[in-house]
Amino acid sequence: MPASEDPAIDKLRQLVAPSNASVDPTAVRVQAYLPSSLVSRLSTAVPMPPLALTSMPTTEARQDMDQTHLGLQNLLYEKRHLEREIEKCHQFASIYQDVPLHSLEEFQQFAPPEARTEDVLGNPHQLMLNRLSFELAERQRLDLKRKELVLLKEELLKQSKIKSAMVDSVKSQIDALMKTATETQKRVDELVPPSPSSADPTPAPG
């Protein structure tokens, strides 16, 4: 059999050759050591990376991928949460929707200048806030005016009652004086009899 270019292969061929059948097994084991050392030298000549080193980039890549996936899941969860909150805000029925406000024309006419600037009128959210603030200020002003009018009304009613009581008192006094005068007149009539001329008037000549 022709020699091989690989010395290790040639050595193995020699060990399994029929001529070595009568050779001492100890000598065979000694000879078998040589191919192992050759193989060891070959493996050290071309070093193979340890298993831990080869698996490390894969493990790190897997960890990075898992971390990225976890971050993506968190972002998706946060996105769904924000969408639900936005939907709740859209469906929220605020009390201002049931409050009658001044019209936009009235707001632009009567509101303070700083509350109806061009920037405010171009911002629907700020415009609504300013309209609500203006509505609150107007209602507070009108409520204060109403309370003042209520106090004035109560004061007028009080004075009216006092005057009415005075009128009733004067009327009672007048009625008492009239009664006294009538009684006095009756007594005078009883004490002073009427004159004959007044009792039997003489007819005038015809």
Side-chain angles (χ1 to χ4, degrees), residues 79-199:
K79 176 177 176 290
R80 288 192 295 269
H81 174 71
L82 292 176
E83 288 176 346
R84 288 194 297 268
E85 291 299 319
I86 292 173
E87 184 64 23
K88 289 180 182 179
C89 292
H90 286 164
Q91 296 178 356
F92 178 73
S94 176
I95 189 174
Y96 87 88
Q97 296 172 335
D98 300 327
V99 176
L101 301 177
H102 284 78
S103 66
L104 183 58
E105 292 75 12
E106 292 173 338
F107 172 78
Q108 292 176 325
Q109 182 177 359
F110 300 113
E114 62 274 11
R116 47 186 171 89
T117 61
E118 292 297 330
D119 293 338
V120 171
L121 296 177
N123 187 335
H125 178 68
Q126 189 62 46
L127 176 60
M128 179 56 67
L129 292 178
N130 288 12
R131 289 183 65 185
L132 290 172
S133 298
F134 173 70
E135 191 70 28
L136 175 61
E138 283 295 290
R139 287 174 181 262
Q140 289 176 339
R141 182 183 66 82
L142 293 175
D143 185 64
L144 180 61
K145 187 67 176 178
R146 181 188 62 81
K147 291 179 179 178
E148 292 176 352
L149 293 175
V150 168
L151 293 177
L152 178 60
K153 177 184 176 182
E154 292 177 351
E155 182 65 23
L156 292 175
L157 287 175
K158 182 179 179 180
Q159 295 179 6
S160 176
K161 289 180 180 179
I162 294 175
K163 292 179 179 180
S164 178
M166 293 177 60
V167 170
D168 292 340
S169 176
V170 171
K171 183 179 179 181
S172 299
Q173 294 177 9
I174 293 174
D175 292 340
L177 290 175
M178 292 292 295
K179 183 178 180 181
T180 302
T182 302
E183 293 177 352
T184 302
Q185 184 64 42
K186 288 181 179 179
R187 291 179 182 178
V188 170
D189 292 341
E190 292 175 354
L191 295 175
V192 179
S195 60
S197 57
S198 60

